[in-house]
Amino acid sequence: MQDLLYFSQQLINGLTIGSAYALIAIGYTMVYGIIGMINFAHGEIYMIGAYTALIAITGLTALGAAWLPLILIVALVCAMIVSSSMGWAVERVAYRPVRGRHRLIPLISAIGMSIFLQNYVHLAQGSRNIGFPDLIEGGFQFGSDDAFQMSLSYMQITIFITTLICMTALSLFISRSRTGRACRAVSQDLGMASLLGIDTNRIISATFIIGAALAAVAGLLLGMYYGSIDPLFGFIAGLKAFTAAVLGGIGSIPGAMLGGLILGVSESMTSGYLSGEYKDVVSFGLLILILLFKPTGLLGKPEVEKI
Amino acid sequence: MAANNYKHALFCAIVTLIISFPILGLNLEAEGVKITVTGAETSTHIAILLAAVVVFVFQAFRDSFMGALGKLPKLNPLVNKKPMEQSKRVKLESWIMTGLVVLALFWPFFVSRGSVDLATLVLIYIMLALGLNVVVGLAGLLDLGYVAFYAVGAYTFALLSEYLGASFWVALPAGALLAALFGLVLGFPVLRLRGDYLAIVTLGFGEIIRILLNNWTNLTGGPNGIGGIPDPTLFGMEFGRRVKEEGNTSFHETFGIAYSGEHKVIFLYLIALVLAVITALVIRRFMRMPVGRAWEALREDEIAARSLGLSRTAVKLSAFTIGAFFAGFAGTVFASKQGFISPESFVFLESAIILAIVVLGGMGSQLGVILAAIAVTILPELAREFSEYRMLIFGAAMVLMMVWRPQGMLPMRRIHIKLKKQE
């Protein structure tokens, strides 16, 4: 019974982190699916989302807002607007001019952008980590008082529900709306889509905006969950989310969701049963193994190399 | 059209406001557990507004701006000049290189200890950049975990001296060979991957090495690092005031001169210089050899190169291993210079800086990379008040380089021979 409780605790922790990873991973996977580049600065967009949310929460509290859902929703909207604008601007400034050149050129440009954004926030907000207020407290406890207790906090439930809402909205948007259909068309064949009258530049911008907005949601959720943020915290999270995207098959949106969950669970199992220090080693090791043995990921389509 | 332009410009200006105002204009301040938001200084707010106005004006009159820019007489007289004749250019380049080396040889005797120390660091970066240049510039493999091989070299020296009492001269080949071995072992499986996947895998590998160094406390001392790494000796002569190891003599007593701390610094600088020159010369040779041509052939067109019988794995692996070898070299010198190393010195940012040097200098071009290494290391030292903007400017420079001049400052030009047309 004890072991089972401990195991389920790790599972819950893993799924919580994993669903947030999945939100970030969607940004990577959509961009890769459409223009075939790794948006290295995506982790920084997520970090900026978290900062904006914290600024908004603190500002609203200072102004006297007391109703918690209102504060959270306003903070979420602010974070999404700022992150999306950032995503749009980054694509415009750093990626559009180099689109279609040799593969490495957009990637180096993206790395430069990532360093730039990291230091932009670092200079503006300082390098120290800042505590995120614990707004959603409490939770359910399972198990007897004198032994290991499994806990499911309200924060974790909030993360699950928010992720679920976002994923459903995204799936509906991609499958039903006009822009979503255009997105799918562009990701299948960019040249053909543009011949058929789809404004591909607009669709690519839309992809960046959607990815950035979801990353901002993840930024708010994970910032609250971890309890503190700093300018570097986007980097590792970005790498993890990229791993998740590759794990599920880069370019596939359900793949990113699945990959995020698997990655989160395997990470929390490692820290629960082995050691917390090696959880990053496990996720990077996982990434390397997948790329070596199944580069298309779990749900990805095999890529035929055209000559 | 005009109305559309204004609409777009207004949109751009609003986006500029949105992305700069919350982050720049509002500062989070933590006092204990309480966090407050304060507005930034008025000058910052004015700067943000100004930026938005500039963006608006530029976007609104973009076409006329671009037109005017195109009509401007070329300020740079070199633009219209024909490219220099090839034989002349090669000669000029080798003269510049020789001049640099000669200058570097005599220069340390006339300047302060601090600048010699900085120059040693520049030489270490030159070695690293030349090594990465083989991997990224010549073979076209984007390696984002290059710093791992540098760490292997540095830690080899530190561990050998800590546990076996090895000296610099034993550790130098050992560190370089071990780094090369790491390159070989890592390269073997990953080189099948396509460009951007390779980049991410090497990045993951670099992070794994750093995390291992950080957590394997019994062996590496974890985050505390390893200290007491010995200085290099010259034929058994030590540079300290007193001889530490039995059987050694000290440099200043042998030559009957007064002890000076500068001897050691200059000696280390000269070692780094010799190693950097060796690195440059060896790689220069490699570039002319069949394997060097194969690197570039594979970079330019993998399918064509393979169809002509080049083994993809062997060629890529050789580039990867040679690059790692020189990183190991640089790592050993770095460990000796610092006397203390810890995982802090081998973070991803270091890889990014080395990559930025290669990109800014011009991928594949040795002279360009050397000049870029000098500039990137020395400029922040000269402009100390801007030192915190260093990485910001780096990032921006990488993006701008890729947008405007992806081939770098001094792009590489292949030595080639044109066939004469048959009359």
Side-chain angles (χ1 to χ4, degrees), chain B residues 69-70 72-84 405 407 409 413:
Chain B
L69 218 60
L72 271 183
K74 291 274 184 276
L75 290 173
N76 188 351
L78 288 173
V79 171
N80 293 326
K81 230 172 87 179
K82 266 193 180 164
M84 220 182 291
R405 207 175 155 80
Q407 70 274 40
M409 292 290 178
R413 262 178 259 164

Side-chain angles (χ1 to χ4, degrees), chain B residues 95-140:
Chain B
W95 273 113
I96 294 178
M97 291 271 236
T98 323
L100 275 178
V101 171
V102 171
L103 194 72
L105 212 54
F106 290 107
W107 175 79
F109 297 101
F110 302 104
V111 291
S112 72
R113 186 179 168 157
S115 9
V116 178
D117 226 27
L118 178 65
T120 315
L121 194 68
V122 172
L123 287 168
I124 290 172
Y125 274 107
I126 288 179
M127 276 188 257
L128 286 170
L130 285 174
L132 187 64
N133 193 23
V134 171
V135 184
V136 178
L138 296 176

Side-chain angles (χ1 to χ4, degrees), chain B residues 31-370:
Chain B
E31 295 154 19
V33 279
K34 216 173 117 41
I35 310 167
T36 49
V37 168
T38 49
E41 289 159 36
T42 332
S43 59
T44 317
H45 289 284
I46 293 173
I48 293 170
L49 277 178
L50 214 63
V53 171
V54 167
V55 167
F56 178 79
V57 171
F58 176 73
Q59 292 292 344
F61 303 104
R62 191 188 177 120
D63 298 337
S64 23
F65 266 132
M66 285 304 174
L69 218 60
K71 274 186 207 136
L72 271 183
K74 291 274 184 276
L75 290 173
N76 188 351
L78 288 173
V79 171
N80 293 326
K81 230 172 87 179
K82 266 193 180 164
M84 220 182 291
E85 201 152 316
Q86 176 176 288
S87 55
K88 240 174 157 181
R89 214 176 63 86
V90 171
K91 235 181 220 159
L92 184 70
E93 226 181 89
S94 59
W95 273 113
I96 294 178
M97 291 271 236
T98 323
L100 275 178
V101 171
V102 171
L103 194 72
L105 212 54
F106 290 107
W107 175 79
F109 297 101
F110 302 104
V111 291
S112 72
R113 186 179 168 157
S115 9
V116 178
D117 226 27
L118 178 65
T120 315
L121 194 68
V122 172
L123 287 168
I124 290 172
Y125 274 107
I126 288 179
M127 276 188 257
L128 286 170
L130 285 174
L132 187 64
N133 193 23
V134 171
V135 184
V136 178
L138 296 176
L141 308 166
L142 188 55
D143 183 354
L144 294 180
Y146 191 64
V147 84
F149 305 124
Y150 181 42
V152 169
Y155 266 89
T156 308
F157 183 22
L159 293 173
L160 281 179
S161 78
E162 170 124 338
Y163 292 103
L164 301 173
S167 75
F168 177 78
W169 297 109
V170 178
L172 184 66
L177 286 176
L178 199 68
L181 187 71
F182 262 75
L184 197 69
V185 171
L186 171 77
F188 203 68
V190 304
L191 288 176
R192 292 184 302 145
L193 298 170
R194 270 205 337 255
D196 34 7
Y197 278 2
L198 177 78
I200 297 292
V201 167
T202 48
L203 172 58
F205 172 74
E207 284 296 300
I208 288 179
I209 292 270
R210 194 180 58 81
I211 296 167
L212 284 179
L213 290 175
N214 221 345
N215 290 315
W216 198 350
T217 323
N218 297 336
L219 185 71
T220 64
N224 296 330
I226 303 177
I229 301 167
D231 301 317
T233 55
L234 177 67
F235 301 116
M237 288 182 280
E238 286 187 9
F239 283 83
R241 190 181 286 277
R242 282 192 192 75
V243 178
K244 279 184 199 148
E245 216 171 312
E246 219 150 298
N248 282 354
T249 49
S250 69
F251 178 77
H252 62 106
E253 278 171 7
T254 315
F255 287 92
I257 44 177
Y259 168 77
S260 153
E262 276 192 28
H263 292 160
K264 189 185 89 183
V265 180
I266 292 180
F267 180 57
L268 194 66
Y269 167 81
L270 291 177
I271 289 178
L273 180 64
V274 169
L275 289 177
V277 169
I278 290 176
T279 310
L281 287 180
V282 168
I283 291 175
R284 218 178 164 71
R285 280 289 118 197
F286 269 121
M287 280 160 69
R288 309 265 174 93
M289 278 165 58
V291 62
R293 293 172 187 275
W295 290 337
E296 288 181 65
L298 217 60
R299 176 193 66 193
E300 291 304 323
D301 192 334
E302 190 167 319
I303 293 162
R306 281 170 75 194
S307 70
L308 290 173
L310 288 176
S311 153
R312 172 170 65 163
T313 326
V315 172
K316 284 185 175 177
L317 211 52
S318 61
F320 217 64
T321 314
I322 288 166
F325 181 86
F326 289 113
F329 247 35
T332 321
V333 178
F334 177 73
S336 180
K337 171 183 173 292
Q338 299 296 94
F340 163 81
I341 51 169
S342 72
E344 283 273 294
S345 314
F346 307 106
V347 291
F348 168 70
L349 209 59
E350 206 70 23
S351 284
I353 291 178
I354 306 168
L355 181 69
I357 292 175
V358 174
V359 169
L360 296 181
M363 288 194 244
S365 138
Q366 277 200 320
L367 188 61
V369 165
I370 291 173

